[in-house]
Amino acid sequence: MSTLPPTTRADYPHVGSVSTRWNDNDRYGHVNNAVYYQYFDSVINEVLIHQGGLDIHRGEVVGFIVRSECDFLAPVAYPGLLEVGVVVRRLGRSSVTYETALLRPGEDRPAAIGRMVHVFVDTATGRPTDIPASIRAVLERLLRPQPGG
């Protein structure tokens, strides 16, 4: 089990919204843990598409999630609106490490904290490639390196 630093909504320079869906709940009456990753990935890609110009259908570069993990701190359930905070913790030549937070609207403490790594890949070769300048600019605005890391 990891030791997490105290995290609040203010630690995330971007916050996007997601809505829970009926099929997100599991038999225990809360959103299944695996679905949290879909929420994180959706908000990250929304930022890359709308702010960075990522073209997921015809672009020469796409981002693949190559690592993900999550600390589940409190359950969430359908129906409901949720928010996902996004911060960039590390920005490399072809990769970016995000920290995400699943937040209930109006609450300061997250219900979950995720970490995801995107590697940007040339769609023609399938090989890692430099992060495009327009996407890098967006990621730099979200960059807040982890203290002590």
Side-chain angles (χ1 to χ4, degrees):
M1 178 180 220
S2 66
T3 303
L4 297 171
T7 302
T8 66
R9 177 183 296 274
D11 294 320
Y12 301 89
H14 176 83
V15 177
S17 298
V18 293
S19 178
T20 61
R21 303 163 301 181
W22 170 251
N23 65 328
D24 292 347
N25 276 11
D26 60 22
R27 68 177 296 133
Y28 302 109
H30 57 73
V31 170
N32 185 275
N33 291 1
V35 176
Y36 288 49
Y37 294 100
Q38 294 174 5
Y39 297 155
F40 298 153
D41 198 24
S42 292
V43 171
I44 288 169
N45 278 293
E46 182 178 297
V47 170
L48 298 178
I49 292 165
H50 295 295
Q51 295 181 29
L54 178 66
D55 184 343
I56 60 173
H57 299 290
R58 293 174 302 281
E60 295 177 7
V61 174
V62 293
F64 290 159
I65 295 289
V66 298
R67 177 177 167 79
S68 61
E69 62 181 90
C70 187
D71 292 294
F72 303 95
L73 307 172
V76 296
Y78 173 87
L81 292 174
L82 299 169
E83 296 172 326
V84 174
V86 178
V87 63
V88 170
R89 292 298 189 194
R90 184 187 168 283
L91 184 57
R93 181 188 65 79
S94 63
S95 67
V96 57
T97 302
Y98 306 96
E99 180 180 302
T100 54
L102 188 65
L103 301 151
R104 291 182 190 92
E107 291 189 13
D108 197 40
R109 296 283 179 188
I113 298 172
R115 283 152 304 281
M116 303 179 94
V117 177
H118 253 155
V119 172
F120 288 83
V121 174
D122 181 298
T123 56
T125 67
R127 301 291 306 156
T129 190
D130 290 349
I131 298 171
S134 61
I135 293 172
R136 179 172 288 283
V138 171
L139 297 173
E140 287 173 346
R141 289 194 299 268
L142 301 176
L143 182 61
R144 309 286 189 286
Q146 186 71 45

